[in-house]
């Protein structure tokens, strides 16, 4: 019984690798066919077609093996008395590997059998890593192991151990399990492998955004990807900016999409560092609530009542957002540039001097493609 269980577990580890090899074989033969169309003297087309026919037979047999393994799991108890039947069904794997080997040899790929069983052993090691680093048990652990396979087969991560370590990191930060853990890890690996973000930092940033703006971790990571594509990390400070200044955007009643679009518009307006844009929102959100004479004078200069505006900003949510838009609109309508600069400095502090009127107007634009 124990022998059959270990065999099934081994086949489970091999199965995703076989599927990947099957995909490689398809791609290899397709490439050869395409090359042959360009130069028929290079390859024998009859041989290529024969390989294609053998591959179709191979795919059919692979499906039969998969079904046999499924039946083996369901009849594990029955196989106590009929181990020979289970061995007979499982023996189809040898025929499969033998036929696959012939096609692989024709395609010029060598040493692949050793790699298959090495991968199967790596699956087991990755599962051990998950259990040791997370303490997961039962269904949660099995789901995490399945996620390891899913992500690896989808070409995420450097190897199985890397994927397992990444899943462990995301679990430790978020406490997620199941599909949520896989979703967050997939996005974190994409950010790391595509844009060079440290997975710990990107996941922590997504968690912070989730708490600040009430969005899901997956949505937060998707916005980080969109923001990076929009050029917000050109100075390498996007994640730090989001972590430090998200709370000030939220205090002004702005949501996560509006924050990213404002940063993108400010960046496109000529401001090199998004950190400076975030600092502008921090200084403004602080000054409009401080009740100082300078702030009151700033509101009076643009024709707004300071007490009313302070109350609106203090209420947060839509009230604060409308007050922000009203302030920006009033500033934009001032015709005297000298008086406008004085009012802007009173309301935005030293950051008005750094960004200037055009920079603040670009930052205040909430429209954009990030969603």
């Amino acid at each position: 019984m124990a022998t059959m269980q270990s065999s099934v577990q081994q086949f489970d580890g091999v199965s995703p690798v076989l599927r990947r090899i099957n995909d490689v074989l398809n791609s290899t033969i397709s490439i050869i066919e395409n090359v042959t169309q360009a130069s028929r003297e290079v390859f024998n087309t009859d041989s290529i077609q024969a390989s294609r026919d053998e591959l179709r037979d191979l795919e059919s047999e692979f499906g039969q093996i998969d079904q046999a393994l499924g039946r083996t799991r369901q009849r594990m108890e029955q196989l106590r008395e009929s181990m020979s039947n289970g061995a007979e069904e499982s023996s189809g794997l040898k025929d499969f590997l033998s036929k696959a080997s012939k096609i692989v040899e024709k395609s010029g790929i060598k040493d692949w059998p050793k790699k298959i069983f090495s991968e199967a052993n790596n699956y087991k090691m990755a599962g051990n890593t998950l259990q040791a680093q997370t303490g997961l048990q039962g269904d949660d652990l099995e789901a995490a192991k399945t996620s390891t396979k899913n992500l690896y087969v989808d070409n995420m991560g450097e190897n199985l151990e890397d994927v397992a370590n990444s899943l462990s990191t995301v679990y430790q930060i978020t406490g997620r399990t199941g599909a949520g853990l896989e979703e967050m890890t997939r996005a974190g690996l994409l950010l790391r492998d595509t844009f060079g973000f440290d997975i710990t930092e990107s996941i922590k940033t997504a968690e912070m955004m989730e708490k600040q703006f009430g969005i899901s971790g997956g949505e937060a990571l998707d916005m980080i990807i969109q923001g990076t594509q929009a050029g917000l990390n050109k100075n390498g400070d996007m994640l730090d900016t989001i972590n430090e200044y998200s709370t000030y955007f939220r205090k002004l009643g702005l949501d996560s999409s509006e924050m990213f679009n404002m940063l993108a518009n400010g960046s496109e307006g000529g401001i090199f560092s998004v950190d400076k844009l975030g600092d502008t929102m921090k200084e403004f959100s602080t000054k409009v609530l401080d009740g100082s004479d300078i702030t009151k004078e700033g509101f009076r200069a643009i024709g707004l009542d300071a007490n009313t505006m302070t109350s609106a900003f203090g209420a947060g949510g839509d009230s604060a957002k409308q007050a922000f838009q009203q302030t920006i609109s009033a500033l934009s309508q001032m015709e005297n540039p000298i008086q406008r600069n004085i009012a802007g400095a009173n309301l935005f502090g030293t950051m008005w001097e750094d960004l200037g009127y055009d920079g603040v107007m670009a930052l205040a634009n909430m429209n954009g493609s990030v969603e």
Side-chain angles (χ1 to χ4, degrees), residues 249 252-254 262 280-281 284-285 288 299 302 304 309 312-313 317-331 348 360-361 363-366:
F249 283 87
L252 293 171
L254 304 167
M262 291 170 72
T280 299
M281 298 302 289
F284 175 77
S285 66
V288 295
F299 280 125
I302 60 176
L304 299 175
M309 297 304 292
F313 280 114
D318 288 338
S319 175
K321 180 178 178 179
Q322 291 175 12
F324 174 70
Q325 292 174 318
Q326 190 176 1
T327 301
I328 294 300
S329 176
L331 273 168
F348 285 88
V360 171
M361 290 300 112
L363 171 63
N365 181 5
M366 304 174 193

Side-chain angles (χ1 to χ4, degrees), residues 157-220:
E158 297 178 1
N159 49 49
L160 283 163
E161 191 72 9
D162 179 38
V163 174
N165 284 325
S166 299
L167 280 162
S168 299
T169 296
V170 175
Y171 171 77
Q172 291 163 3
I173 295 173
T174 68
R176 282 177 169 79
T177 58
L181 175 61
E182 182 174 329
E183 176 191 27
M184 290 285 282
T185 305
R186 183 183 299 276
L189 285 169
L190 177 63
L191 278 165
R192 187 198 69 181
D193 296 343
T194 306
F195 301 113
F197 288 114
D198 178 78
I199 193 167
T200 299
E201 295 304 314
S202 62
I203 296 299
K204 284 184 177 180
T205 301
E207 280 288 283
M208 184 278 304
M209 288 176 60
E210 182 176 5
K211 294 174 182 177
Q212 288 288 346
F213 299 110
I215 60 177
S216 73
E219 290 171 332

Side-chain angles (χ1 to χ4, degrees), residues 68-222:
L69 291 175
R71 293 195 300 272
T72 300
R73 295 188 194 92
Q74 296 173 4
R75 301 203 317 266
M76 190 67 76
E77 290 301 322
Q78 298 175 7
L79 287 177
R80 290 178 183 275
E81 301 176 359
S82 57
M83 286 295 292
S84 60
N85 292 339
E88 182 178 345
E89 286 187 342
S90 300
S91 66
L93 181 62
K94 292 183 179 180
D95 293 335
F96 171 82
L97 293 178
S98 177
K99 292 184 178 182
S101 178
K102 293 178 182 179
I103 295 180
V104 170
E105 288 174 2
K106 293 178 182 179
S107 303
I109 303 173
K110 299 179 180 179
D111 300 326
W112 65 277
K114 293 180 180 178
K115 293 181 181 178
I116 290 180
F117 291 102
S118 175
E119 292 284 297
N121 186 55
N122 289 341
Y123 276 121
K124 183 178 179 180
M125 293 175 60
N128 293 339
T129 295
L130 278 169
Q131 188 171 22
Q133 293 187 0
T134 65
L136 289 171
Q137 301 289 336
D139 292 342
D140 287 340
L141 177 60
E142 292 307 312
K145 289 181 179 179
T146 299
S147 293
T148 302
K149 295 179 183 179
N150 293 341
L151 293 169
Y152 179 67
V153 170
D154 287 347
N155 295 315
M156 306 297 292
E158 297 178 1
N159 49 49
L160 283 163
E161 191 72 9
D162 179 38
V163 174
N165 284 325
S166 299
L167 280 162
S168 299
T169 296
V170 175
Y171 171 77
Q172 291 163 3
I173 295 173
T174 68
R176 282 177 169 79
T177 58
L181 175 61
E182 182 174 329
E183 176 191 27
M184 290 285 282
T185 305
R186 183 183 299 276
L189 285 169
L190 177 63
L191 278 165
R192 187 198 69 181
D193 296 343
T194 306
F195 301 113
F197 288 114
D198 178 78
I199 193 167
T200 299
E201 295 304 314
S202 62
I203 296 299
K204 284 184 177 180
T205 301
E207 280 288 283
M208 184 278 304
M209 288 176 60
E210 182 176 5
K211 294 174 182 177
Q212 288 288 346
F213 299 110
I215 60 177
S216 73
E219 290 171 332
L221 287 166
D222 186 45

